[in-house]
Amino acid sequence: MAGMHIRIDAVDLPGRSRPAPADAKVAAYDNIHVAVQRRDRPAELLDPQPGDAASASWTLECTATVSPDGTEVKGPYVQDRLGRRFVYLSWGTVDASGAFTMFRRAKLLLDRVPADVLAAAAHSGLLVGRLGLTDAHGNPLCARVEPPYITWTAESAA
C-alpha cells in the first residue's frame, strides 16, 4: 500500500446562481458552491468553492494498493458503493449562516481511470483529474462523470 494523492482541477464553473427555467422543472438556486464530500458523511465537505470561481482545485489524501487484479484506491474522500470507487463533488447553496444545502452531485468514477494511468499514479504518488463543471445546458455538472468529460493523468507528486 502506497500513499497517493488525487487532485481534482476544475474549470468552467456554472455561476453563483441559476434562475428557474420557464418550464419550472428545475428550481432556482442562489449562492451556489461546490465541494468534495467526505465518505459516508454528506455534511462534511472539503473546501467549498463558489460557483462563479474561475477554477477550483481539491487535493485528496488516499492510498493505492497495486495487485494483479488492478489498483485499489481508498481514502477519506473516496466513496465505495457496491465495489465501485468514486469521488463525489457536491453542489449546494450556502445560506447567510454558512449552512450548505446540497441539491445535486457529480460522481467522478475512479474505475473509469485507465488502468495504466492509475498504476502509474500509484507509483508517482499523484492522480490528476481535469474537468469542466458546467453541463450542456449551463447547469452544474451532475451524475456519472467519466472520460471524455474528465481527463485523468498520472503526475509527479514532487
Side-chain angles (χ1 to χ4, degrees):
M1 183 168 21
M4 188 176 90
H5 288 90
I6 298 172
R7 191 178 74 224
I8 301 164
D9 291 335
V11 296
D12 190 30
L13 280 77
R16 188 75 75 104
S17 64
R18 301 297 312 153
D23 62 10
K25 291 181 182 177
V26 178
Y29 298 106
D30 289 311
N31 203 18
I32 295 171
H33 283 66
V34 60
V36 175
Q37 178 186 312
R38 188 173 178 95
R39 182 183 67 244
D40 299 327
R41 298 183 192 167
E44 194 171 324
L45 302 168
L46 178 64
D47 200 16
Q49 298 292 308
D52 61 353
S55 63
S57 186
W58 300 271
T59 300
L60 318 175
E61 290 186 30
C62 57
T63 60
T65 305
V66 180
S67 74
D69 296 329
T71 304
E72 182 177 272
V73 178
K74 293 183 179 181
Y77 293 94
V78 177
Q79 309 289 328
D80 182 7
R81 299 284 185 270
L82 303 173
R84 298 194 80 181
R85 308 245 188 229
F86 56 92
V87 173
Y88 268 138
L89 291 183
S90 292
W91 291 98
T93 57
V94 177
D95 67 17
S97 71
F100 183 95
T101 303
M102 185 185 69
F103 63 85
R104 67 174 46 167
R105 293 188 290 202
K107 186 186 286 190
L108 310 183
L109 299 172
L110 296 176
D111 63 351
R112 298 295 191 201
V113 176
D116 60 328
V117 171
L118 192 53
H123 179 72
S124 71
L126 181 61
L127 176 66
V128 179
R130 292 181 177 86
L131 74 160
L133 291 181
T134 300
D135 73 12
H137 304 288
N139 295 309
L141 183 69
C142 67
R144 295 168 36 132
V145 181
E146 55 190 69
Y149 301 103
I150 186 167
T151 302
W152 294 103
T153 57
E155 298 184 13
S156 173

